[in-house]
Amino acid sequence: MRSVTAGFLFFAYLFLSMTAGAFAWRAGLGIGAGAATTAGMLGVFTALHAIVSGSLGRDALRKEIAQVREAHRLLADAMETTQSALTELAQAIESGAITRTDTLTTEVRMLEGLIQQMSESIDQRLRAAPPAPVDTFEGRRHQQSNALLQTIHEALAEGRVDLYLQPVVSLPQRRTIFYESFTRLRDASDRVMMPAEYLATAETEGLAPAIDNLLLFRCAQIVRRLARQDRKVGVFCNIALTSLGDETFFPQFLDFLGQNRDLNQALIFELGQANFDARGAAEARNMAKLADLGFRFSIDKVQTLDLDFADLQRSDVRFVKVAADLLIEQLLDLDGGAPIPSLRDIQAADFAQLTRRYGIEVIAEKVESERQIVDILELDVAIGQGHLFGEPRAIKEQVLAETDPPADFMRSTLRSAEQRRRFA
């Protein structure tokens, strides 16, 4: 568009210059004077155009610099507010914390006994398994899988499962309105294990529901503590697809949430887009049961903005988390293309309004720079998450003891895991 406009202006300047030259020639000054007049006027118009364009460019640059400076000011204020909020959160949690010795009730002893039994069963299974030749790829893979399985069980049995919280903020104010919760296992050397290391094995061995149980109870505990501090902050709680489809685990999970319906506006269950798309009838039915209790869902790890918004709405998905880079790439860096192939009449700036019509709020996640904030605000996205606003922080270990689930809630999960291994 800019090149077309520049072309029209050039021809207009040329026409006016030639007109002035023609007047000079007709005035009897000669054809040389007319040509000189034409060239001179064209030079004047070109210089004026360059001056005006440069002025407009400088104005735009000054405006963008002012936006970045304002963003930096907001960041400084937000960092101070976030630090204060996280400090208050830690103090609120620690104020009611008690030691593991004080909370070692009969139920917790029973839970620990059950986990110990499971660990012994795993040991028996590993000893009974025929050894694979370690000099083959399959043998090495089998050996690594067994070692990882043992590490996961030891982490569960010895309480090396930590809870991390990361703030989710409103934009442009950067006020914390949610937290996202994460579980992290620690191995025997206290090295923190990321989910990518153990989650696939945990799901294969039927242990994902046990991890989801711990996360659920700890999120519920955090939400209640925040409520006692009169802080209405929601928590995103990740849940595995295998947990939603587990016939033994899910009824107990649903029963617990039914007894704690007051948490339905504070706990939001989150799963990845690929898992959401892969859900079967049982998982969809169980999601509907959670929705009947008033609980909401969030989708993260989004790979494309061309989503089935009607399906998301029917499934009570109320939040969609999209990486900041993906938002900018698919909505702003288009080179004239449509942002959503299936909805070609939708403009980039209309995307957030489109999702809101379906009751869905877009959250820009993985925000790392102030430049991204400027683009995100241009897209009318009102919520952000990322290291720019605060990294995930661990809740102190001594606080986690009181958030262990009761034994009767975990028993069916452990039994289900044992049955899965037996028939594997």
Side-chain angles (χ1 to χ4, degrees), residues 42 66 76 88 96 101 115 217 252 259 376 392:
L42 183 60
E88 291 175 6
T101 302
I115 294 178
F217 274 86
Q252 298 292 334
Q259 296 172 22
I376 289 167

Side-chain angles (χ1 to χ4, degrees), residues 104-392:
L104 200 57
T105 62
T106 303
E107 286 186 338
V108 175
R109 288 195 185 95
M110 186 183 300
L111 172 61
E112 292 177 343
L114 288 169
I115 294 178
Q116 181 63 32
Q117 290 173 16
M118 175 187 282
S119 299
E120 293 172 357
S121 174
I122 290 295
D123 291 339
Q124 293 174 2
R125 175 193 169 208
L126 295 177
R127 286 195 298 267
V134 295
D135 56 343
T136 66
F137 173 78
E138 184 64 27
R140 288 192 297 271
R141 191 180 67 83
H142 181 73
Q143 190 177 54
Q144 292 170 356
S145 176
N146 285 343
L148 180 57
L149 176 61
Q150 187 68 38
T151 299
I152 295 172
H153 275 278
E154 289 175 355
L156 289 171
E158 298 175 16
R160 296 197 302 268
V161 184
D162 297 332
L163 175 67
Y164 282 64
L165 297 178
Q166 182 178 33
V168 181
V169 305
S170 62
L171 296 175
Q173 303 87 353
R174 309 193 190 194
R175 179 176 59 87
T176 299
I177 53 177
F178 298 103
Y179 287 100
E180 177 159 5
S181 61
F182 305 92
T183 52
R184 298 285 187 267
L185 303 185
R186 284 177 288 117
D187 62 17
S189 65
D190 265 350
R191 182 184 68 86
V192 175
M193 302 169 61
M194 302 302 287
E197 294 182 62
Y198 62 81
L199 199 54
T201 298
E203 291 181 347
T204 301
E205 297 296 334
L207 295 176
I211 297 173
D212 285 344
N213 270 334
L214 290 168
L215 181 60
L216 171 66
F217 274 86
R218 288 171 176 171
C219 287
Q221 181 74 7
I222 295 300
V223 166
R224 294 202 183 282
R225 288 190 176 281
L226 291 173
R228 287 201 293 271
Q229 298 291 320
D230 197 25
R231 295 181 58 197
K232 297 181 180 179
V233 179
V235 176
F236 289 95
C237 185
N238 287 273
I239 185 169
L241 190 65
T242 52
S243 297
L244 285 172
D246 193 300
E247 297 179 356
T248 304
F249 158 77
F250 188 80
Q252 298 292 334
F253 187 86
L254 188 67
D255 182 61
F256 170 78
L257 292 174
Q259 296 172 22
N260 294 271
R261 298 183 65 151
D262 59 310
L263 301 175
N264 60 12
Q265 294 304 302
L267 282 179
I268 304 109
F269 294 107
E270 186 166 274
L271 61 161
Q273 181 189 3
N275 286 336
F276 177 79
D277 292 341
R279 72 196 190 284
E283 291 83 1
R285 184 168 56 250
N286 288 336
M287 287 180 66
K289 291 177 181 178
L290 290 175
D292 289 341
L293 295 177
F295 290 92
R296 300 168 293 170
F297 297 94
S298 171
I299 302 299
D300 68 350
K301 300 181 179 67
V302 171
Q303 299 300 314
T304 175
L305 302 184
D306 199 358
L307 302 166
D308 187 342
F309 298 107
D311 184 38
L312 294 174
Q313 184 183 44
R314 286 191 300 269
S315 302
D316 290 277
V317 173
R318 294 294 174 259
F319 301 93
V320 170
K321 292 185 177 181
V322 186
D325 283 344
L326 183 64
L327 275 173
I328 294 168
E329 176 188 339
Q330 296 198 9
L331 292 181
L332 293 180
D333 301 339
L334 295 174
D335 295 330
I340 304 178
S342 62
L343 298 170
R344 295 189 173 275
D345 57 333
I346 295 296
Q347 301 300 311
D350 299 330
F351 179 73
Q353 287 297 326
L354 168 68
T355 64
R356 289 179 187 128
R357 287 203 293 271
Y358 289 92
I360 300 169
E361 194 68 35
V362 177
I363 299 176
E365 63 174 351
K366 300 179 181 177
V367 180
E368 306 292 342
S369 70
E370 291 296 336
R371 177 67 236 186
Q372 290 176 321
I373 293 294
V374 175
D375 292 333
I376 289 167
L377 290 176
E378 183 180 340
L379 294 171
D380 194 27
V381 174
I383 307 178
Q385 178 183 353
H387 286 190
L388 184 64
F389 311 119
E391 298 183 5

